[in-house]
């Protein structure tokens, strides 16, 4: 496997970062998780737009144009002869001295890994996920904006560990006011009657690219949706539920905190959205060659 590192394609065994990189020392950096479908980098522009905003928010000046990064992404996919895959784009603050200050770092590192992805096992797309609410709260947006896709994922990792310890694959994270924010790596949608609800990003959710794509599909399919603060009660009493994410795509949820959602089977609208999503993934993006 070839890894892109600052302009070079190197063997995975040789793809190494310095122990003085603030990405490693402090989680100081940003990333994107992107999908490649049939040689098409899905919504590459949207991912690069989010990367640019994350960089701006953490005062990291990207020394490459977005077009240079886009070409590097495509080049890495080509070098690995990928047709379908998962692209992990990482920008670290780079090497600096010990100490938190970002000012000691002036050489950000661009790393691109293009690999295969293990989705949730297929059975969960057919039968739906059982999830829990994590006791680990989503970090306060005033402390670290959840819109920034930073290398600080310990908050989410601990909530994911709560899920795993409970025998689940995902967990709902509440914000510090007790409203639903998102799952550890996925956005949340529920349906009550004829309307879909998803928490606003101000509740502590990442502005997911898949979330945005699904909202567009809902418009096309004529499904009503609103952004709204949601409680656990709203989730438990929903008629239908699914999660969205680059890795997960659209995955049904049938049980939350041992409360059965709807009739305990993935909903019809969820299936239609997943179908519609699959239809557009290999056309809505940038071809790698
Ligand atoms: N919320 C969080 C906290 C995320 O990290 C999403 C929602 C869904 O957003 P997208 O844009 O993917 O629809 C994410 C997604 C990885 C990795 O290893 C990436 C994510 C989650 C977990 C792992 O690349 N990001």
């Amino acid at each position: 496997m070839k890894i892109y590192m600052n302009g070079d394609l190197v063997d995975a065994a040789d793809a190494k970062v310095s122990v003085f990189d603030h990405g490693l020392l402090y989680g100081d950096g940003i990333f994107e998780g992107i999908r490649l479908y049939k040689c098409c980098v899905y919504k590459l522009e949207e991912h690069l737009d989010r990367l640019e905003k994350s960089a701006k928010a953490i005062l990291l000046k990207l020394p490459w144009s977005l077009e240079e990064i886009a070409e590097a992404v495509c080049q890495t996919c080509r070098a690995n002869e990928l047709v379908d895959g998962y692209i992990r784009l990482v920008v670290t603050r780079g090497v600096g001295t010990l100490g938190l200050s970002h000012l000691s770092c002036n050489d950000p590192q661009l790393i691109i890994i293009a690999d295969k992805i293990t989705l949730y096992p297929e059975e969960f797309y057919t039968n739906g996920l059982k999830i829990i609410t994590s006791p680990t709260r989503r970090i306060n947006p005033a402390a670290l904006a959840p819109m920034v896709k930073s290398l600080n994922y310990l908050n989410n990792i601990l909530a994911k560990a709560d899920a795993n310890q409970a025998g689940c694959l995902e967990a709902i994270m509440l914000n510090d006011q007790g409203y639903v924010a998102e799952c550890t790596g996925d956005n949340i949608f529920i349906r009550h009657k004829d309307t879909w609800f998803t928490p606003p990003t101000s509740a502590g959710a990442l502005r997911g690219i898949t979330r945005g794509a699904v909202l567009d599909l809902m418009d096309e399919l004529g499904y009503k949706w609103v952004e709204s603060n949601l409680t656990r009660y709203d989730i438990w009493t929903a008629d239908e539920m699914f999660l969205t994410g680059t890795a997960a795509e659209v995955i049904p949820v049938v049980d939350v905190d041992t409360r059965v959602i709807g009739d305990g089977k993935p909903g019809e609208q969820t299936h239609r959205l997943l179908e519609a999503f699959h239809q557009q993934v290999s056309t809505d993006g940038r071809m790698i060659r």
Side-chain angles (χ1 to χ4, degrees):
M1 190 201 302
K2 294 285 185 192
I3 312 290
Y4 180 99
M5 292 196 80
N6 304 309
D8 296 322
L9 286 161
V10 299
D11 286 331
D14 300 322
K16 293 173 181 160
V17 294
S18 164
V19 294
F20 289 100
D21 192 310
H22 279 209
L24 175 70
L25 286 174
Y26 304 114
D28 187 352
I30 51 178
F31 78 102
E32 283 294 322
I34 311 170
R35 285 291 280 272
L36 179 74
Y37 292 101
K38 294 191 185 141
C39 294
C40 174
V41 186
Y42 181 60
K43 297 218 182 262
L44 180 56
E45 236 177 75
E46 285 83 345
H47 281 285
L48 294 184
D49 178 60
R50 188 168 67 186
L51 183 83
E52 189 178 39
K53 291 192 168 99
S54 293
K56 185 163 189 191
I58 70 161
L59 297 166
L60 199 164
K61 201 168 175 308
L62 296 174
W64 321 277
S65 69
L66 293 192
E67 180 48 36
E68 280 171 322
I69 301 176
E71 183 41 42
V73 166
C74 295
Q75 188 190 352
T76 313
C77 292
R78 286 195 300 267
N80 288 288
E81 293 176 3
L82 271 191
V83 174
D84 295 290
Y86 187 67
I87 302 152
R88 183 71 194 262
L89 197 166
V90 184
V91 179
T92 73
R93 185 78 71 179
V95 168
T97 55
L98 291 178
L100 296 181
S101 177
H102 71 287
L103 297 173
S104 73
C105 311
N106 44 37
D107 188 20
Q109 303 287 296
L110 174 60
I111 301 163
I112 304 170
I113 307 167
D115 200 359
K116 294 280 177 203
I117 174 141
T118 332
L119 294 168
Y120 290 111
E122 191 55 39
E123 60 178 286
F124 294 107
Y125 290 87
T126 316
N127 302 327
L129 280 177
K130 291 185 182 201
I131 65 173
I132 55 153
T133 307
S134 166
T136 305
R137 293 287 168 108
R138 191 78 176 93
I139 206 161
N140 186 316
L144 178 59
M147 283 79 100
V148 176
K149 207 160 159 54
S150 83
L151 295 183
N152 274 270
Y153 257 53
L154 204 48
N155 182 214
N156 308 54
I157 288 167
L158 291 177
K160 182 94 169 178
D162 293 333
N164 294 157
Q165 297 296 88
C168 297
L169 296 178
E170 251 300 8
I172 294 172
M173 299 183 79
L174 307 178
N175 64 23
D176 58 350
Q177 294 173 311
Y179 289 112
V180 173
E182 60 181 342
C183 281
T184 68
D186 303 301
N187 290 112
I188 296 173
F189 286 80
I190 56 170
R191 181 176 65 77
H192 279 271
K193 298 214 170 80
D194 65 350
T195 305
W196 283 95
F197 296 84
T198 191
T201 53
S202 57
L206 181 79
R207 194 182 300 281
I209 307 285
T210 322
R211 174 186 184 275
V214 163
L215 292 176
D216 288 345
L217 289 173
M218 283 181 172
D219 286 341
E220 279 172 35
L221 291 169
Y223 298 167
K224 272 197 270 178
W225 61 268
V226 287
E227 288 186 333
S228 148
N229 273 331
L230 300 173
T231 63
R232 294 176 81 194
Y233 171 84
D234 297 326
I235 302 275
W236 296 335
T237 57
D239 297 316
E240 205 174 327
M241 177 173 182
F242 63 80
L243 311 179
T244 62
T246 294
E249 301 178 326
V250 176
I251 188 157
V253 176
V254 293
D255 190 300
V256 178
D257 301 325
T258 71
R259 276 76 163 181
V260 172
I261 305 298
D263 62 1
K265 295 196 181 72
E268 202 190 304
Q269 295 196 8
T270 303
H271 275 313
R272 284 193 60 188
L273 285 162
L274 182 55
E275 236 169 66
F277 180 77
H278 278 154
Q279 272 168 17
Q280 51 123 31
V281 289
S282 54
T283 52
D284 193 347
R286 173 168 168 149
M287 298 305 287
I288 57 172
R289 57 185 115 237

